[in-house]
Amino acid sequence: KLENATIKAELGRASWKLLHTMMARFPEKPTEDDKMALKTYMQLFSRLYPCGDCARHFQGLLKKYPPQVSSRNNAAGWACFMHNQVNERLHKPQFNCNNIGDFYDCGCGDEDKSKDG
Ligand code: FAD
């Protein structure tokens, strides 16, 4: 089947949105179990990502830059950095990771009252 760049890009946007929103909700003080869950998630994500080319490239990035899971800030900063690595390869503009703070809101309210969720 022919590549369809529109659908491929749509999948990318949806995937990044989920990833960054997950990071924005990752515990500020993760337990060892939380940390393991995020590492495992990223490993499986990179293995099962449906665009094979993207998956292979992202697995290479993961080896070079293992997930930072010690806090929400570190996880969100790491994901932003990884997305920028992909941006660079695709000749897209770099995102300013200092502004990631309130950019990804899950819209789910309650749970995390210290932020506005
Ligand atoms: P996207 O890159 O999808 O970004 C969506 C929005 O996120 C942007 O509009 C911006 O508001 C915000 N954003 C941008 N950069 C960042 C950042 N660093 N941190 C946080 N937010 C940010 N496509 C390919 O053609 N080849 C590939 O090899 C490839 N590999 C991929 C690997 C992964 C793991 C994923 C998830 C996607 C991959 N894609 C790949 C898809 C590609 O990254 C884009 O999602 C797609 O091209 C659509 O780009 P876009 O310009 O709409 O913005």
Side-chain angles (χ1 to χ4, degrees):
K1 231 176 152 196
L2 283 177
E3 172 174 326
N4 182 324
T6 308
I7 296 176
K8 191 178 172 186
E10 192 70 26
L11 173 68
R13 278 188 291 275
S15 303
W16 287 123
K17 174 98 174 181
L18 172 62
L19 269 188
H20 294 305
T21 308
M22 273 178 51
M23 300 307 179
R25 275 272 163 158
F26 190 66
E28 276 166 18
K29 295 195 171 105
T31 63
E32 288 309 308
D33 189 52
D34 293 328
K35 295 178 192 176
M36 185 53 69
L38 183 52
K39 283 186 206 162
T40 306
Y41 184 96
M42 291 311 308
Q43 218 57 57
L44 292 173
F45 172 85
S46 78
R47 175 167 151 190
L48 297 172
Y49 192 75
C51 152
D53 241 25
C54 312
R56 262 186 302 282
H57 176 253
F58 198 69
Q59 282 167 38
L61 281 177
L62 265 182
K63 272 206 187 115
K64 202 165 162 194
Y65 309 109
Q68 295 197 17
V69 300
S70 59
S71 70
R72 173 183 298 174
N73 261 343
N74 284 336
W78 172 81
C80 189
F81 170 82
M82 294 293 272
H83 190 167
N84 271 337
Q85 292 290 119
V86 174
N87 287 341
E88 187 181 314
R89 176 159 171 269
L90 301 178
H91 311 291
K92 288 172 190 285
Q94 293 288 293
F95 187 91
N96 182 350
C97 293
N98 296 322
N99 297 341
I100 204 151
D102 296 322
F103 200 81
Y104 291 97
D105 181 354
C106 72
C108 32
D110 56 339
E111 279 162 71
D112 189 358
K113 299 215 165 68
S114 63
K115 297 236 154 187
D116 50 345

